[in-house]
Amino acid sequence: MSEWLLIVLLTLVAGLSMPVGAFCANIESIRPRWLEQELRHSVIAFGGGALFSAIALVLVPEGSAKLTHVETVLYFALGGVAFMALDRLLDYLQSPASQLAAMLSDFIPEALALGAAFAEGGTAGILLAGLIALQNLPEGFNSFRELKDSTHFKAITIILAFFLMALLGPVSGLIGYFWLSAYPTAVGAIMIFAAGGILYLTFQDIAPQAKLEKHWGPPLGAVAGFLLGLTGQLLVGH
């Protein structure tokens, strides 16, 4: 199989974790009620931990390696400010899409990096695809719940929309493979910019939603989410 077809397949599978997570979130009526609350908040925290691992273990190390120190600081700050502006715009429009924005801002830069990794050679791209897929699962779960609870969209509509969003993975991967691999500075800037934005969204929207009084599952879920990313990074590193 040619490399570009493999990129399409891997990024598509990784992207399909979003609608799969949404489908799982559509399973209602978990009993007792406290267990449903604990599970939902734990998955939100797990997604936050996975996003934080993407920042600390993938986006910042990989992105900063392609940039100067000044460029890294600048793009990271710009990402945070830009996502703050996006968050304020969503609030003004009364659009509950913070989890969705975080999910896509994680998925697209990593798919770009995956394509560029294949262009550089090695097996890191395959392992990165697995890490993206595992991150997208809880993020799809959380984004579905956020949209379902705050909008009038039917469940099938949201799941189909997530399915269409999964197609952004192959597009981004091919862009990274055929075009951005020749511009490593651009890839680094995109990754660092996304890292700053994701960090803002994690502490502005995701972490506050994960908290439950006198419950210890959600913070443990955040640890598990980061551990997932750490495991993937160690595999990629080897």
Side-chain angles (χ1 to χ4, degrees):
M1 182 184 294
S2 62
E3 279 192 335
W4 72 269
L5 282 176
L6 183 59
I7 291 170
V8 169
L9 179 61
L10 289 173
T11 51
L12 181 60
V13 171
L16 288 176
S17 292
M18 294 186 290
V20 169
F23 178 80
C24 294
N26 193 41
I27 300 174
E28 301 284 355
S29 303
I30 301 172
R31 293 292 180 267
R33 178 68 176 175
W34 69 266
L35 180 59
E36 179 178 359
Q37 287 291 96
E38 185 88 4
L39 175 64
R40 291 181 62 178
H41 284 74
S42 295
V43 174
I44 289 173
F46 185 91
L51 283 168
F52 193 72
S53 74
I55 297 170
L57 303 174
V58 179
L59 295 174
V60 169
E62 295 292 329
S64 62
K66 299 173 173 64
L67 302 170
T68 67
H69 295 335
V70 173
E71 289 171 335
T72 299
V73 171
L74 177 61
Y75 286 122
F76 191 89
L78 284 175
V81 172
F83 275 69
M84 180 193 70
L86 174 62
D87 188 44
R88 295 191 65 176
L89 177 61
L90 292 174
D91 182 65
Y92 176 77
L93 298 175
Q94 297 184 338
S95 174
S98 60
Q99 294 270 3
L100 181 62
M103 178 173 66
L104 291 179
S105 61
D106 173 30
F107 177 46
I108 293 174
E110 288 190 337
L112 288 168
L114 184 150
F118 269 97
E120 295 171 0
T123 60
I126 297 175
L127 294 171
L128 181 58
L131 178 59
I132 296 170
L134 291 173
Q135 289 172 343
N136 280 342
L137 196 63
E139 290 164 22
F141 184 102
N142 295 335
S143 298
F144 176 89
R145 285 294 183 125
E146 184 180 55
L147 292 173
K148 186 70 165 55
D149 292 344
S150 307
T151 68
H152 299 294
F153 294 130
K154 294 181 179 179
I156 187 62
T157 301
I158 300 174
I159 293 173
L160 286 175
F162 282 21
F163 179 83
L164 293 176
M165 290 175 193
L167 300 179
L168 294 172
V171 173
S172 300
L174 291 176
I175 290 174
Y177 181 76
F178 286 111
W179 184 47
L180 286 181
S181 60
Y183 304 96
T185 301
V187 176
I190 291 170
M191 296 175 77
I192 293 296
F193 182 88
I198 293 169
L199 187 63
Y200 171 85
L201 289 177
T202 299
F203 283 94
Q204 172 66 12
D205 294 304
I206 298 173
Q209 291 184 56
K211 182 174 173 57
L212 273 177
E213 293 294 333
K214 296 183 179 180
H215 289 267
W216 295 270
L220 191 59
V223 174
F226 190 90
L227 180 60
L228 168 73
L230 176 60
T231 302
Q233 194 271 345
L234 291 173
L235 290 173
V236 170
H238 288 81

